[in-house]
Amino acid sequence: IDMSRFEGSRIVDVACGAAHTIAMDDQGRLYSWGFGAYGRLGLKNNKDQHQPEPIEIFHEEPPPPNPDLPKFMQRQVPKIRAKKITCGGTSSFAVVGEPFFSLYMWGITKKTGEAFMYPQLSANVSGWRIRSVACGNTSMIVASGRTLITWGSSPTYGELGYGSGEGIAKSSTVSKKVEDLEGAICEQVAAGLSHSLAIVRMDDPKGPKIVEKLPVHDPDEVQDLLRESKPKAAKKKKSKSKKKKRRRRRRRRKRKRKRKTKVLMILKMRKIRRRRQQLQQKRISEAQEMLSMMKPFIRVLQEERPDWKN
């Protein structure tokens, strides 16, 4: 990268998509480079850029005041400067600073949608004061006030937080509130390929009440990592409790194995019973067919030799 492109500015934040990069300096001006398809660089074209290029709207200066007009007739145009940036697979997003705290986007978030060649205000969160924003591959998560807003095109894997069950959509092309966190202040959000995270403020009176209602995600892998990260001195003190936990785990595994073997045996016995019933029905049907075939011969014999009736 030609660092002379950043001359006179200090880079304070960088965001990366699948094949492009956005950089922000200390004044909120943005630069982009990489793969340019779908307008993800915000340079009003689809060309690839191997060196950082300034995104025009974040570098423009407002026109100077007209001395021939009184102040109340002059139109004040604020600077558009970014405060936060994030990138998706084929899109880019920026939260501008005061006085609007609105969200600008460019590129494309779904293959069947329209691609934006330069930064435009996002209609999905129009009117919201954005605190934090994150982008997965095609899904978005935005924190604003006491509301968490998400949207994203299919396929999604629960990262939008709409819940599970019959009749509940997992994806949405328009913005929706995450009802489980409605009323909580989400300080920061983050997104991966198929999952999302949100930091909730616990010093707020509503925060603890909302968090207590949510299920706890506590897999064994996380517990193992936490144990490994503890210092050695703590490990020696808690060696007995560790042994107990290991024994419990072994017992649980044995119980699971026993249950599995029982279930397999029951399934095998059911299959054998079904097979026997099928064979019995087959033999009965064959015997009935044989009798129906023999009936005409028996009648002829009974007519010819009446002493055979009995």
Side-chain angles (χ1 to χ4, degrees), residues 148-161:
L148 190 67
I149 307 161
T150 60
W151 71 92
S153 58
S154 182
T156 56
Y157 306 94
E159 65 265 29
L160 300 181

Side-chain angles (χ1 to χ4, degrees), residues 9 130 160 204 209 212 231-232 265 277 295 310:
S9 59
I130 310 302
L160 300 181
D204 180 68
K209 295 178 183 178
E212 282 175 4
K232 291 182 179 179
M265 288 295 292
Q277 288 175 359
K295 278 181 181 179
N310 296 325

Side-chain angles (χ1 to χ4, degrees), residues 218-263:
D218 189 19
D220 293 336
E221 293 84 356
V222 175
Q223 291 297 325
D224 293 338
L225 288 170
L226 288 171
R227 290 188 197 100
E228 289 173 4
S229 64
K230 287 180 181 177
K232 291 182 179 179
K235 284 184 179 179
K236 289 178 181 178
K237 290 179 182 177
K238 297 185 178 180
S239 59
K240 291 181 181 179
S241 61
K242 276 197 170 185
K243 286 179 182 178
K244 287 180 182 179
K245 287 178 181 178
R246 285 174 187 170
R247 288 171 188 169
R248 287 174 189 169
R249 283 182 193 169
R250 287 171 187 170
R251 288 171 189 169
R252 285 175 191 169
R253 287 171 187 169
K254 284 180 182 179
R255 287 171 191 168
K256 285 180 181 179
R257 286 171 189 169
K258 286 179 181 179
R259 286 172 191 168
K260 284 181 181 178
T261 52
K262 283 181 181 179
V263 170

Side-chain angles (χ1 to χ4, degrees), residues 58-90:
F58 296 102
H59 287 257
E60 289 178 346
E61 294 290 337
N66 190 348
D68 298 329
L69 293 173
K71 287 185 178 180
F72 71 90
M73 293 183 65
Q74 291 184 13
R75 184 184 175 187
Q76 294 183 353
V77 181
K79 287 183 182 180
I80 298 174
R81 295 291 184 264
K83 289 292 182 184
K84 295 177 183 179
I85 54 174
T86 185
C87 291
T90 56

